[in-house]
Amino acid sequence: MAKVVKVKSELKSNKNKAFLYTAFSFIFALLFLCVGIGLLVAVLSQKLEISAAYSVIPFAFSLVMMLVTAINRKKHAVLKSGVNGEKSTLQVLKRLPKNYTVITNPVIHNRGSVNELDFAVVCKNGVFIVEAKNYRGIIVGNSSQQSWKQIKYGKNGNTYEKEVKNPLKQAHRQAGRMFELFKDLKITADVYPILYFADANAELRITDDADSNVAVIKGEQALLDYILQTESKRTLKSDDTEKIINIFKN
């Protein structure tokens, strides 16, 4: 089993925040609703001598908070899907041999930019950047586009379509940042960017028309095979291996 070095996940942290925001907004919605009902009952029973129109105010606040709850709930669902995708990807990467080191959520700090990766796999052949996506349905796009289309089918046969940011560009950009970091630190290592789709049922209709050099992979064994079978012209020195691992740990 590969060695795993865990770094704090920003995605998981954001997912937990979204859950808390959803819970709090729902509680406030219920509170305003209760206040509105109580106020309306008091006015109608003439226990409170104010206009019934004032009881509409808490109901309006309750409606606003319910809308906020719906937005937060949707955001939480998206983030949860991403976290689940990272979890399943980690279980796959753990199956690599013990001389491979898997770093979760490493952060690249270099030249004024900060980039958080999903995974970095460090071995004698270099460093593999794994950008994991847990998309479902049909994914349509090419490497030069800024956004792709995700098409999903509902239970009633309805089609749902939305745009997602082009993750191929993201993986390519991350590889470039890592190349810059290694160059500045005088580390000689090959970098292999991977866009991995964790959902085996996803249908990919993706073309690389910009020669991005990013490997697009679906399937657990395909991911392992690509990492294991990639041969580098140069072997990463043990000192540089430890240096890279320590950089990502901090």
Side-chain angles (χ1 to χ4, degrees), residues 20-36 58-59 61-66 68-69:
L20 290 176
Y21 293 156
T22 302
F24 281 127
S25 58
F26 182 69
I27 290 171
F28 277 110
L30 290 180
L31 286 175
F32 282 121
L33 180 62
C34 291
V35 170
F59 286 116
F61 277 112
S62 177
L63 179 60
V64 170
M65 294 310 298
M66 287 302 294
V68 172
T69 300

Side-chain angles (χ1 to χ4, degrees), residues 13 55 135 140 172 192 242:
S13 176
S55 64
Y135 294 153
V140 183
H172 182 68
Y192 304 94
E242 291 301 320

Side-chain angles (χ1 to χ4, degrees), residues 67-92:
L67 292 174
V68 172
T69 300
I71 293 172
N72 287 330
R73 185 178 180 183
K74 184 176 181 180
K75 183 178 180 181
H76 175 260
V78 172
L79 293 171
K80 183 179 179 181
S81 176
V83 170
N84 290 340
E86 288 189 359
K87 285 182 178 179
S88 64
T89 304
L90 178 58
Q91 294 306 311
V92 177

Side-chain angles (χ1 to χ4, degrees), residues 84-245:
N84 290 340
E86 288 189 359
K87 285 182 178 179
S88 64
T89 304
L90 178 58
Q91 294 306 311
V92 177
L93 295 175
K94 279 182 178 180
R95 288 155 51 187
L96 290 166
K98 62 181 181 180
N99 56 330
Y100 285 71
T101 300
V102 179
I103 306 170
T104 68
N105 310 110
V107 179
I108 300 175
H109 296 274
N110 195 49
R111 300 187 183 183
S113 67
V114 180
N115 293 267
E116 181 179 321
L117 315 179
D118 288 341
F119 300 95
V121 179
V122 185
C123 63
K124 65 178 184 178
N125 289 331
V127 181
F128 294 83
I129 299 174
V130 182
E131 178 65 26
K133 295 299 179 184
N134 198 24
Y135 294 153
R136 295 182 178 181
I138 303 171
I139 312 301
V140 183
N142 61 57
S143 56
S144 61
Q145 293 175 320
Q146 293 298 321
S147 60
W148 289 355
K149 288 183 180 179
Q150 180 183 18
I151 305 170
K152 295 191 291 184
Y153 296 97
K155 294 180 180 180
N156 299 324
N158 296 327
T159 302
Y160 302 91
E161 185 178 305
K162 73 172 184 178
E163 288 190 351
V164 294
K165 287 185 178 180
N166 183 346
L168 205 60
K169 281 184 174 292
Q170 181 181 2
H172 182 68
R173 182 171 61 252
Q174 290 171 347
R177 293 284 187 267
M178 191 171 289
F179 271 121
E180 291 175 352
L181 176 63
F182 289 169
K183 182 178 180 181
D184 292 347
L185 296 176
K186 295 180 173 56
I187 295 175
T188 303
D190 290 326
V191 178
Y192 304 94
I194 300 171
L195 174 58
Y196 174 65
F197 289 87
D199 192 326
N201 295 318
E203 181 180 339
L204 308 182
R205 299 179 185 175
I206 301 167
T207 56
D208 187 354
D209 58 359
D211 193 22
S212 63
N213 296 320
V214 178
V216 179
I217 299 175
K218 185 185 75 170
E220 297 179 1
Q221 194 58 48
L223 176 61
L224 294 174
D225 288 344
Y226 178 80
I227 295 175
L228 291 170
Q229 295 175 10
T230 299
E231 295 185 1
S232 175
K233 294 180 181 179
R234 49 195 171 190
T235 301
L236 190 60
K237 298 178 182 178
S238 57
D239 290 345
D240 284 342
T241 300
E242 291 301 320
K243 191 174 182 180
I244 291 171
I245 294 172

